[in-house]
Amino acid sequence: KGDSAIRIAEEIHVAQWAYSLCYIVFVLVLMLIWKGFGLLIVALPVVFKIPMWGISTGVEEENDILQVEFPNFFSIYYVQYKRLGTSLRLSDVIQSYKNLAPYEMQQFVSRIEVDLASGEAHALRMLDKRYVYNPDIHRFCAVAATVSRGDARAEKVVESLQAELEHKSIESSG
């Protein structure tokens, strides 16, 4: 499942350079046999793109999973917000959700958890950058940032997103 999951940009970049380096070494070894194999180096741009070939499939798969599971994650966020108000921390929500989440969503929250080491604002920015194609996550990031700032509008925006996600869940299941 790891190959089809969305990898963060840094992982893709490292994979691109690793593939390229291996290919260059391969071509150099072949050149020891015959210098004409040096022409194979023209395929290097293709080799550089190999780590990106499965990304569109991975994006679609992860988007399907998020469409079903993200409302459950936000429901836990919502319940804890109702209990704690603006003192709610994303790390607490992740700890509550992590044990209940299916494998794919555990990976999702684990990425957030890693980013939380640099602060909640940073984690929300990174989450928003990773899932620019997903409007629900974009909206969640804005809502969670509003809550973490202690903004007076927090309750209204949290309830608005909760209602919207409930509505989407009802539409997609019915």
Side-chain angles (χ1 to χ4, degrees), residues 8-173:
I8 58 175
E10 294 87 8
E11 291 172 334
I12 293 170
H13 193 67
V14 167
Q16 286 176 315
W17 285 106
Y19 276 61
S20 297
L21 183 62
C22 290
Y23 184 72
I24 290 169
V25 169
F26 173 72
V27 169
L28 290 174
V29 169
L30 285 177
M31 284 178 63
L32 293 174
I33 298 169
W34 182 56
K35 300 287 186 220
F37 282 127
L39 292 174
L40 291 174
I41 206 70
V42 298
L44 187 60
V46 173
V47 172
F48 192 77
K49 293 179 183 179
I50 288 173
M52 296 173 27
W53 286 352
I55 292 210
S56 62
T57 303
V59 168
E60 290 168 8
E61 287 176 8
E62 191 161 13
N63 198 26
D64 291 345
I65 292 164
L66 285 171
Q67 215 165 8
V68 172
E69 290 297 327
F70 187 74
N72 297 334
F73 172 76
F74 189 77
S75 291
I76 290 175
Y77 185 91
Y78 178 74
V79 167
Q80 288 193 17
Y81 172 78
K82 289 305 241 179
R83 190 169 42 105
L84 300 171
T86 56
S87 64
L88 173 65
R89 296 292 155 242
L90 188 54
S91 58
D92 297 333
V93 175
I94 287 173
Q95 289 306 315
S96 297
Y97 180 71
K98 202 172 190 179
N99 298 327
L100 305 170
Y103 176 74
E104 293 84 0
M105 287 301 286
Q106 286 179 5
Q107 290 178 318
F108 171 79
V109 294
S110 291
R111 284 187 219 121
I112 299 171
E113 203 169 34
V114 167
D115 291 335
L116 278 170
S118 299
E120 192 164 313
H122 171 76
L124 291 170
R125 277 192 310 275
M126 293 304 293
L127 179 63
D128 200 19
K129 286 180 183 179
R130 274 191 198 107
Y131 297 96
V132 292
Y133 61 88
N134 190 312
D136 293 337
I137 292 178
H138 176 71
R139 183 123 183 259
F140 166 74
C141 291
V143 166
T146 302
V147 169
S148 68
R149 285 191 309 266
D151 195 314
R153 301 174 305 139
E155 185 171 358
K156 191 175 195 174
V157 294
V158 169
E159 288 180 355
S160 171
L161 182 55
Q162 175 65 13
E164 184 179 316
L165 290 174
E166 282 179 357
H167 181 72
K168 279 185 180 181
S169 290
I170 290 169
E171 280 182 352
S172 65
S173 65

